[in-house]
Amino acid sequence: MARDKDINLEDLLIDQSKFDFRNPEKYAYKTIPGLNQKIVQEISEQKEEPKWMKELRLNSLHIFDTWRDPRFGVDVSDLDVSKIVAYIRPNTKTSTSWNDVPEEIKDTFDKLGIPEAEKKALSGVGAQYDSEVVYQNIKKELESLGVIFLNMESAVKQYPDLVKEYFMKAVAPTNHKYAALHGAVWSGGTFLYVPKGVKVPLPLQAYFRMNNPGMGQMEHTLIIADEGSEVAFIEGCSAPYYEVTNLHAGMVEIYVKKGARVKYATIQNWSKNTYNLNTKRAIVEEDGVMEWVSGSLGSHKTMIYPSSILKGKGAKTETKAITYAGPNQHMDSGSKVFMFAPYTSANVDARSISIGGGWAFYRGWLKIGEMAKGAKASVQCQALMLDNDSKSDTVPLIEVYTDDADVGHEARIGRIKEEQIYYLMSRGLSEGEAKAMVVRGFVEPFAKELPLEYAIELNRLINLEVESSIG
């Protein structure tokens, strides 16, 4: 059977046309390119921050200046931070009404379908444009239950003690060089607090859009799910393509208290001129549950490893991730799980697709400490290569320091099997239809974790409706 020559690879590549539009550059304020003490102080003063936050920024800058790049992952030698504009404040303030958002920004989010999604399937939305949130709203009934959903700058001012207790405590600036960069110049992002026992019925969403060339977006997301609460949060992001480098170095910190449950879903679709060096970590207490659903589809180079620290007895985490590496993409993604308490459990299902010369690299770390008696963990990583030009690697690291643990691991890298195609063609499908069906099935465990609207969007993004155009 002639395989690759019958596949129209163009049909399997992500269609970026929906996201590749741009507005004229407008802003109220922006820093000069580069990173130094003066720029960091300017950002802090523009935001009228308290002294502790300004000191955190300056301390982070010192760490960034003195630490080396990570000795693993993607090659960042072409990333010149001295050319990156760290802060661009849009020409508007945060609004709770779409009608008050400037027309060109509103038009951007209209094209991305954000207002429509809010009406149909969400409890609230935050929309960030360049370096700050321009729209933030939550249903009134959730506010009355004590749910706090704010942009980070407002939270720093309105809930200083709560923010100070948790901000960059799960991920310290010393965690790695780009965590320090984030600490120095973070801007925008979401603060979400869910009180004890409150179960938020529909997901909340944050959407991040970079409009300007050569900028860095460094939003900070901080979620605290108090005891017995439940919440789902969706994060989406995109940017138009430019000939210069853009940088995304966001951070997500999640605190899952006793018996709470948090589901965090991401569809990352940055443009192919963007370095995506993101950090996400959750700390999970007794009987808490943390679910990561991670789709890494865009960017030029990505390093992202959503991590869970299971510190309470019976804490659980689950990760479902799909990574797509197309032409000129190096996607270094994976997961980290640290199990430090008895009867904790973890389940990781990471999958990747590489096509057109793309490089998908799975990097995982599972550590089971000596106190984690009765722990159970399963790690599966699967990679599907669709042509001879692409690459895929898996590097799982598993450390177990107790004899009383049940650990399973499976890794597979391969192509679509001849037997699968033969069987499906024997049922009346063309070869193209058969291959498309196999690819759809490969990503299905991830897609079904998303709300229907987002699952449809994912399918559209990776253009899985290929039956009519293959073969």
Side-chain angles (χ1 to χ4, degrees), residues 21 73 88 92 99 118 138 191 293 298 338 348 356 361 402 425 450:
F21 59 91
I88 300 178
T92 184
N99 292 331
E118 181 184 16
I138 185 173
F191 177 78
V293 181
F338 305 99
V348 176
F361 198 114
T402 175
M425 291 179 68
L450 297 172

Side-chain angles (χ1 to χ4, degrees), residues 374-395:
K376 294 183 178 179
S378 173
V379 178
Q380 297 182 60
C381 38
Q382 302 179 53
L384 189 62
M385 292 186 295
L386 297 183
D387 58 40
N388 293 324
D389 300 324
S390 304
K391 294 195 292 185
S392 186
D393 295 282
T394 63
V395 179

Side-chain angles (χ1 to χ4, degrees), residues 14 266-268 293-297 322 324 443-465:
I14 289 177
T266 302
I267 299 180
Q268 178 271 109
V293 181
S294 181
S296 296
L297 308 176
I322 186 77
Y324 172 98
V443 303
E444 191 268 345
F446 171 82
K448 74 178 185 181
E449 294 296 326
L450 297 172
L452 178 60
E453 292 79 2
Y454 296 89
I456 292 171
E457 178 67 2
L458 173 70
N459 279 345
R460 197 202 64 77
L461 279 173
I462 60 178
N463 203 3
L464 294 179
E465 296 177 3

Side-chain angles (χ1 to χ4, degrees), residues 31 92 119 131 141 182 215 224 248 250 320 372 383 431 453:
T31 57
T92 184
K119 292 176 194 171
S131 295
E141 56 265 35
H182 175 91
M215 71 166 293
I224 305 165
H248 176 247
K320 291 187 183 299
E431 185 177 355
E453 292 79 2

Side-chain angles (χ1 to χ4, degrees), residues 72-252:
F72 63 91
V74 303
D75 179 6
V76 294
S77 58
D78 289 337
L79 175 60
D80 186 352
V81 175
S82 70
K83 295 181 179 177
I84 296 293
V85 177
Y87 177 64
I88 300 178
R89 191 176 74 219
N91 193 24
T92 184
K93 295 182 178 179
T94 304
S95 173
T96 58
S97 168
W98 280 111
N99 292 331
D100 296 333
V101 176
E103 201 61 36
E104 69 275 14
I105 298 178
K106 188 167 61 178
D107 181 60
T108 296
F109 289 109
D110 282 340
K111 288 176 180 174
L112 295 167
I114 305 304
E116 196 62 24
E118 181 184 16
K119 292 176 194 171
K120 290 182 177 178
L122 299 172
S123 291
V125 164
Q128 179 160 335
Y129 190 83
D130 290 338
S131 295
E132 293 200 352
V133 173
V134 297
Y135 174 80
Q136 190 109 27
N137 194 31
I138 185 173
K139 291 183 183 300
K140 297 299 181 189
E141 56 265 35
L142 292 176
E143 275 188 330
S144 67
L145 293 174
V147 177
I148 303 169
F149 183 57
L150 292 171
N151 63 73
M152 274 308 307
E153 286 83 356
S154 296
V156 169
K157 294 173 182 172
Q158 296 179 32
Y159 301 93
D161 294 339
L162 193 57
V163 173
K164 189 176 180 181
E165 181 179 353
Y166 292 100
F167 191 93
M168 292 201 77
K169 297 297 176 23
V171 184
T174 52
N175 195 256
H176 57 79
K177 186 177 179 74
Y178 292 96
L181 172 66
H182 175 91
V185 293
W186 74 268
S187 183
T190 301
F191 177 78
L192 172 61
Y193 171 76
V194 185
K196 288 183 181 179
V198 172
K199 298 181 179 180
V200 181
L202 293 172
L204 293 150
Q205 185 192 37
Y207 198 93
F208 305 99
R209 177 75 176 177
M210 271 194 286
N211 181 65
N212 284 292
M215 71 166 293
Q217 194 174 70
M218 325 282 184
E219 84 286 350
H220 192 99
T221 300
L222 175 57
I223 297 175
I224 305 165
D226 216 329
E227 294 184 10
S229 64
E230 292 185 9
V231 66
F233 193 89
I234 300 170
E235 174 191 74
C237 44
S238 65
Y241 179 82
Y242 290 103
E243 295 296 332
V244 297
T245 297
N246 279 27
L247 170 64
H248 176 247
M251 184 176 292
V252 176

